[in-house]
Amino acid sequence: MNKLIIIVAGLIAVSFTSCEKTEIKEVEKIVYADQAGSLSLTFDAKYGDSDFELNKKYPYQLVNSSGTYDMEFEFSRLRYWVSNVKLIDKDNKEHAIADSYYLVEETNEIAVQHLVNGEKYPATKREEVKLKDIPLGEYKAIKFSIGVDQKYNDNIALTAGELGSLNGMGVSDGWMWFTSYKFLTLAGTIHWAAGTPTSKALSWETGSNALFDGAEKTITLTTPLKVDAQNSGKVVLNVDVKELISATDLPWVNNSISQGKKDLMIALRDTFLSKSLTLKESTSSSVKTN
């Protein structure tokens, strides 16, 4: 009889202990929900009013001092680094996102040089970046840079976020100048629309530590976003490639832009930041919990 009483008492104690643990977990969950959240940042590539697609010819009317010319642009690659992301709250305080280095890209398959087995980087499309562990708050703007800061640009062996010599990129021909990162790449073919079948390869690239200064963009949101673990934020930016072409009024002549043409790299960087990148929408939504 005494043994039966002891067993029943033990079961009751276990039952109460289990209930107490469940209640503690629920309380902890609610407290955490008010402390941190997430935000998605989407770079929606387009060409004027059309969706941006690779291997498709887009019309472009060039107007310069020599006259008006009808051309076509066909793209094979658009890649750029988004880095040093900061959220600005309603009190103008900046909140830096740790290790925020993201490769945004739309590219055909790329042959990777210098690797033994002839590996290829697969055709890839990536427009969305997920920002996590954002402090509870209301945010009115987002700030980021296009490119890689000097610490990591001077030493590609260092890793942070998505940076790394073979992390999400091909070596040399695919994405790097051996000892530093390319910040922005646009590649494809320029065609004359009529009158001649002539075409020419397009290869525009930016990079170097000097170009990272001035590569920052601030996007002011239409309304502040509330972010915590129960409310996530979403920011969608337009990336207009047609606007990027206007970086030079001589694209046929300046079909190749790289390290040896600093002024053109600066023009390409500035056009991307000031004309191509614009706010499309920003919204907050409730996070579904199980």
Side-chain angles (χ1 to χ4, degrees):
M1 186 67 176
N2 289 339
K3 288 183 178 179
L4 180 60
I5 293 171
I6 292 171
I7 291 171
V8 171
L11 290 172
I12 293 172
V14 170
S15 177
F16 274 109
T17 303
S18 177
C19 291
E20 288 176 2
K21 287 182 178 178
T22 300
E23 290 175 0
I24 290 171
K25 288 180 179 178
E26 290 299 320
V27 169
E28 289 176 350
K29 183 177 180 181
I30 292 171
V31 171
Y32 178 76
D34 290 338
Q35 291 182 339
S38 63
L39 182 146
S40 68
L41 179 59
T42 300
F43 295 83
D44 186 12
K46 53 187 285 188
Y47 184 91
D49 295 328
S50 304
D51 291 334
F52 177 76
E53 297 179 39
L54 300 179
N55 312 313
K56 175 181 177 180
K57 290 182 180 179
Y58 291 97
Y60 186 80
Q61 189 172 74
L62 175 66
V63 180
N64 59 25
S65 58
S66 300
T68 300
Y69 307 93
D70 291 323
M71 311 174 79
E72 293 176 324
F73 282 77
E74 183 178 0
F75 304 100
S76 61
R77 193 178 308 167
L78 172 64
R79 311 178 89 189
Y80 49 95
W81 282 104
V82 175
S83 69
N84 295 274
V85 182
K86 303 178 183 70
L87 295 176
I88 304 172
D89 66 23
K90 61 182 181 180
D91 298 318
N92 292 317
K93 182 179 179 181
E94 294 187 357
H95 300 263
I97 307 300
D99 295 329
S100 51
Y101 297 89
Y102 310 101
L103 182 59
V104 180
E105 59 182 335
E106 190 160 351
T107 179
N108 288 330
E109 186 178 72
I110 304 172
V112 180
Q113 293 184 1
H114 314 304
L115 295 183
V116 176
N117 299 319
E119 287 86 349
K120 293 183 178 180
Y121 185 79
T124 304
K125 181 176 180 176
R126 193 273 184 97
E127 295 184 324
E128 184 179 24
V129 169
K130 293 283 190 179
L131 308 180
K132 299 180 179 180
D133 299 324
I134 298 172
L136 162 72
E138 289 189 27
Y139 298 95
K140 67 177 186 179
I142 186 168
K143 182 186 293 187
F144 55 85
S145 295
I146 298 299
V148 178
D149 50 273
Q150 185 170 354
K151 174 183 176 180
Y152 294 100
N153 198 43
D154 283 349
N155 187 353
I156 60 175
L158 296 177
T159 59
E162 296 175 7
L163 294 175
S165 59
L166 285 176
N167 184 19
M169 66 201 75
V171 177
S172 182
D173 181 62
W175 191 233
M176 280 182 280
W177 285 312
F178 291 96
T179 58
S180 62
Y181 290 95
K182 296 177 185 178
F183 296 172
L184 166 68
T185 291
L186 181 68
T189 306
I190 309 173
H191 306 274
W192 289 105
T196 173
T198 304
S199 61
K200 187 182 281 190
L202 173 74
S203 178
W204 287 358
E205 302 169 346
T206 71
S208 83
N209 293 330
L211 258 74
F212 188 76
D213 295 332
E216 192 173 62
K217 175 79 173 185
T218 299
I219 300 288
T220 301
L221 308 179
T222 50
T223 56
L225 295 181
K226 180 180 180 181
V227 177
D228 55 38
Q230 295 173 330
N231 295 278
S232 64
K234 180 179 181 180
V235 177
V236 181
L237 304 178
N238 288 318
V239 181
D240 193 340
V241 179
K242 186 176 183 180
E243 289 287 357
L244 186 57
I245 295 173
S246 68
T248 173
D249 62 357
L250 296 171
W252 182 258
V253 176
N254 298 319
N255 64 305
S256 178
I257 299 175
S258 61
Q259 283 276 30
K261 300 178 180 179
K262 183 178 179 181
D263 290 345
L264 286 173
M265 285 201 303
I266 292 173
L268 188 60
R269 176 202 66 186
D270 292 348
T271 302
F272 187 69
L273 291 170
S274 64
K275 293 184 177 181
S276 290
L277 278 172
T278 57
L279 177 66
K280 182 176 181 179
E281 63 176 349
S282 56
T283 57
S284 290
S285 59
S286 298
V287 177
K288 293 181 180 179
T289 57
N290 296 325

